[in-house]
Amino acid sequence: MTENLANHIRKNPDINLADIAFTLMVGRRNFNHRRMIVCKDAQDLLQKLEAMNDDEVFTRFQKPRVQPVVFMFPGEESKYVNMGRGLYETEPDFRNTVDQCAEILEPLLGLDIRKVLYPGDDKMDYAASKMKEEAIARAAVFVVEYAMANLWIELEIEPACMLGKGVGEYVAACISGVFTLEDALSLVVAGEEEMESRLGGISLNSVKIPFISCVTGSWINEQEVSSSNYWISQRRGNLFYDGLKEVLKDPDQILIEMGPASDLYEIAASSAMMEDTQNQDTKRTILRTLPSMEGKAQDVHLLLGSLGQYWLTGNRVNWNKFYTYEERHRILLPTYPFERQRYWIQPGKRNDEDTQPKLLISKSEEISDSITSSKFEEGVITVTLKQAVGSNGTDLNGDVKKQLESLLKFKEDLVKFCESNEHIKGKVEVSPLGLKLLETDSQSNIGISEQLKRRPRPNLQSDYVPPRNELEKTIVECWQKALGFDRIGIHDDFFELGGHSLIAAAIASELGKVLDVQIPLRKLMETTTVEGIANLIETYRWVSQDTGDEKANEEEIEECTV
């Protein structure tokens, strides 16, 4: 696949690299073999593909999974002018959060924190001087770390727990819901003599996401988090590294340093390396998101590299949200060169004779020596519900649904019994409830037959979330019919379910008929979840009502040929 992609780029030197990445991440299914490169242009990409250096081309075999993520927030000593500037200039979500914090801080500090963080060339000395002031240093580090954390959360990479050093603990507390953003910033810039009065005017809320206390070196509790005295003493807390040891007790975590590079990353990495050396089964992932003041790496390059490393571990990134502010397109790329292997099934008898038991036993007295000395493959016990149906198709046995539910309850009880019985535990397989349809009533069984033919929902990266309204329900039913699954969630990815352009064209046509709205195929291909398509349809409906149907349909529909 790598060589095929390289050849494709050589033949198409003007190809858009961002569209290549978009197509590979959004338009392809996830596999266990993953490879990642960060590059600046096509020539840089080809050079790295040809060299295949391990420090530039990262490869990993890992089944998709969900690992707990730890956000680590450095203290104010890691401050420097221009930290995160590359992200402020290129990432709208990061910039919006910084701007929001700057507006809150301006009346508290009497200046625009952005002029200290990201000054012009002629204001560098002024910014460096201001950054030495304690309140401004704390505010600057808080803003950058809070914006960085929200950038990752927007991509649906959320922390299972957090730890912060110095002002970093305030960032953790704010994300955990203990403080509002306004209250957190008010405390961050307060002098020690002002802390008590400011704490008296704010609400201290319960912890939503657990984090480490710098004061105790362990997980913070509700009594501490609601105490003004705790937050007054927090600035003198020095047990952060004890807390880091507590976090590192769980080897199956990804640690991400949210903010300017500090010794926090180095200590976490060296501690994890020692643990991994003692236990060969663990391989921790520790990432950083910004360089240090002396670091030569560019902000965006380092962030993309860490995001790619996170994806390499088998975890999920919402790439659709990653491209929210970009106009990207799926393009034609080489497909995966699967190695085909042929499996031949030997012909057997066409009837069910071989599947029927050769001998039936009803009681223990019938177990003879000839039976125990014989070789048999398995023992089968069949439980059958006899459903009587009259000539007019009416049910003579009452409510069919209740009967089926009763039989399923019997099946569940049977499974529990088998699991609890030491003589047969692990040796008995209880099959699903099978239904045999009447062939004479084929018309009424059409819907049931289609349902029985559908496959179970595969194991996806997204959790199953059912449709919440009629529009999502209509889209889900259309997807289930086209893709052949018994259920589909509103966050399930169309391409991960095995969809492709021809199926998308059929779905677009069907939705157009059912919902009376024309969706351009290109838009449908770029919106890969039921929830996204529902939002798209609502937008089209709103535009139609606001501007008239003719103007709403002026957008050219991408041509599709089958």
Side-chain angles (χ1 to χ4, degrees), residues 38 85-88 90-91 289-291 297-306:
V38 178
R85 183 168 196 148
L87 300 180
Y88 184 80
T90 60
E91 294 294 331
T289 56
L290 282 177
Q298 296 180 350
D299 295 347
V300 176
H301 189 281
L302 185 57
L303 175 69
L304 293 177
S306 293

Side-chain angles (χ1 to χ4, degrees), residues 196-424:
E196 186 172 357
S197 61
R198 292 197 180 183
L199 281 163
I202 69 174
S203 298
L204 298 172
N205 306 309
S206 297
V207 175
K208 295 181 180 177
I209 304 173
F211 61 92
I212 290 289
S213 161
C214 287
V215 177
T216 65
S218 186
W219 300 106
I220 199 164
N221 57 48
E222 290 297 331
Q223 183 178 357
E224 292 164 343
V225 83
S226 61
S227 168
S228 296
N229 290 332
Y230 173 83
W231 293 107
I232 293 173
S233 63
Q234 187 273 340
R235 288 188 181 174
R236 297 185 297 274
N238 59 2
L239 298 179
F240 170 80
Y241 294 108
D242 290 349
L244 179 59
K245 292 178 182 177
E246 180 71 23
V247 169
L248 289 173
K249 288 180 181 179
D250 183 357
D252 189 35
Q253 294 182 134
I254 296 181
L255 280 66
I256 308 177
E257 184 185 54
M258 291 288 168
S262 67
D263 61 347
L264 169 58
Y265 172 88
E266 304 296 342
I267 294 172
S270 60
S271 299
M273 187 178 298
M274 292 177 60
E275 293 283 343
D276 293 349
T277 302
Q278 297 172 4
N279 186 355
Q280 298 296 327
D281 294 333
T282 63
K283 185 180 180 181
R284 300 171 193 260
T285 299
I286 303 178
L287 307 172
R288 63 183 4 161
T289 56
L290 282 177
S292 64
M293 182 169 58
E294 299 82 12
K296 297 181 180 180
Q298 296 180 350
D299 295 347
V300 176
H301 189 281
L302 185 57
L303 175 69
L304 293 177
S306 293
L307 197 59
Q309 291 287 355
Y310 175 83
W311 172 78
L312 278 182
T313 62
N315 290 281
R316 179 179 179 272
V317 178
N318 189 325
W319 295 109
N320 281 305
K321 289 189 175 181
F322 180 83
Y323 291 103
T324 296
Y325 300 98
E326 300 181 36
E327 187 68 26
R328 299 268 64 89
H329 304 282
R330 287 193 178 87
I331 57 178
L332 183 64
L333 293 176
T335 56
Y336 295 111
F338 294 109
E339 296 179 1
R340 307 287 181 180
Q341 186 171 356
R342 187 172 182 235
Y343 295 89
W344 181 257
I345 301 176
Q346 294 297 330
K349 295 184 179 181
R350 298 184 61 182
N351 54 39
D352 296 332
E353 290 181 2
D354 285 351
T355 64
Q356 299 300 320
K358 299 299 183 183
L359 180 66
L360 298 177
I361 303 175
S362 300
K363 49 190 177 180
S364 59
E365 289 81 1
E366 297 178 5
I367 304 176
S368 63
D369 292 341
S370 59
I371 292 176
T372 56
S373 61
S374 301
K375 294 181 180 179
F376 55 91
E377 186 176 14
E378 62 182 9
V380 179
I381 299 177
T382 303
V383 179
T384 304
L385 169 68
K386 293 296 185 180
Q387 175 67 36
V389 178
S391 58
N392 60 354
T394 59
D395 173 28
L396 300 182
N397 288 330
D399 191 337
V400 177
K401 182 179 180 181
K402 289 184 178 179
Q403 292 185 54
L404 294 177
E405 289 175 346
S406 297
L407 193 58
L408 288 172
K409 180 61 170 62
F410 169 76
K411 173 183 173 293
E412 292 176 4
D413 293 341
L414 182 60
V415 170
K416 293 178 182 178
F417 171 77
C418 294
E419 291 176 348
S420 62
N421 191 304
E422 61 180 9
H423 298 294
I424 59 176

